[in-house]
Amino acid sequence: MKKIELLSPAGDMNKLKTAFHYGADAVYIGGKAMSLRALAGNFTDEEILEAVSYAHALGKKVYVTVNIFCKNQDVETAEKYLKFLEQAKVDGAIISDPGLIMLAREVAPNLSINVSTQANTLNYKSVEFWKNFGAKRIILGRELSIKEIKEITEKVDVEIETFVHG
């Protein structure tokens, strides 16, 4: 079995440091733009750079949500943001929109793509689709049972992320 990565949300730098202090291997954060929770505080571009530097110095990882519902007028901003994330050396972008995943492959080819739980991936054929589309990790829908998750991992060799509640 591969090592399990403990991933925690971090809404600001203090929460990021706290998560790492208490044992998280990685955090996921949102930026000021391109995140469904864009008004929840989140990280400026400068803070993303600081977060990545801090995490990597500890041997930890930072994933950034790019999970907006993308409209035509968002594409140009998304292109610039994805390029920035690649240059910032984040450990992955968490994306739900297939068009943004395609855009990321085009403009930031070294940016690791994690398919967001917002994509509602619930079966092994969808996992296989996302893997073939270039995703490194698929964050499964929260509705799945342990048995269903096991079935998926037995059929498709790709990183799987699941939410743990409680």
Side-chain angles (χ1 to χ4, degrees), residues 95-106 113 115 130 133 135:
I95 306 174
S96 57
D97 183 277
L100 286 182
I101 292 173
M102 186 175 70
L103 181 64
R105 298 277 38 98
E106 292 169 4
I113 302 300
V115 177
W130 288 122
F133 207 65

Side-chain angles (χ1 to χ4, degrees), residues 5 22 32 114-115 120 140 142 164 166:
E5 178 182 80
Y22 284 98
K32 294 286 185 184
N114 297 355
V115 177
N120 208 34
L140 297 176
R142 298 172 188 167
V164 177

Side-chain angles (χ1 to χ4, degrees), residues 44-145:
T44 65
D45 288 356
E46 294 77 24
E47 290 169 329
I48 290 173
L49 293 169
E50 179 186 354
V52 170
S53 177
Y54 180 83
H56 289 177
L58 297 174
K60 309 284 185 168
K61 296 180 181 179
V62 174
Y63 301 98
V64 178
T65 58
V66 185
N67 58 354
I68 63 164
F69 299 118
C70 186
K71 294 185 175 182
N72 291 330
Q73 68 262 22
D74 300 318
V75 174
E76 188 176 319
T77 301
E79 181 176 335
K80 292 175 187 170
Y81 191 60
L82 292 164
K83 288 178 181 179
F84 162 74
L85 294 177
E86 180 184 50
Q87 292 168 352
K89 299 193 181 329
V90 302
D91 296 284
I94 301 171
I95 306 174
S96 57
D97 183 277
L100 286 182
I101 292 173
M102 186 175 70
L103 181 64
R105 298 277 38 98
E106 292 169 4
V107 303
N110 296 313
L111 181 62
S112 179
I113 302 300
N114 297 355
V115 177
S116 172
T117 191
Q118 308 303 4
N120 208 34
T121 304
L122 300 174
N123 64 74
Y124 71 89
K125 291 306 283 181
S126 293
V127 169
E128 185 177 47
F129 169 84
W130 288 122
K131 177 185 177 186
N132 291 339
F133 207 65
K136 180 182 177 201
R137 176 184 294 184
I138 292 84
I139 306 166
L140 297 176
R142 298 172 188 167
E143 301 82 1
L144 294 174
S145 68

Side-chain angles (χ1 to χ4, degrees), residues 12-61:
D12 59 38
M13 197 62 177
N14 185 50
K15 291 174 184 170
L16 177 141
K17 290 178 179 180
T18 301
F20 289 147
H21 176 77
Y22 284 98
D25 300 304
V27 295
Y28 66 91
I29 65 175
K32 294 286 185 184
M34 304 284 119
S35 174
L36 281 178
R37 295 183 179 175
L39 301 177
N42 292 331
F43 288 69
T44 65
D45 288 356
E46 294 77 24
E47 290 169 329
I48 290 173
L49 293 169
E50 179 186 354
V52 170
S53 177
Y54 180 83
H56 289 177
L58 297 174
K60 309 284 185 168
K61 296 180 181 179

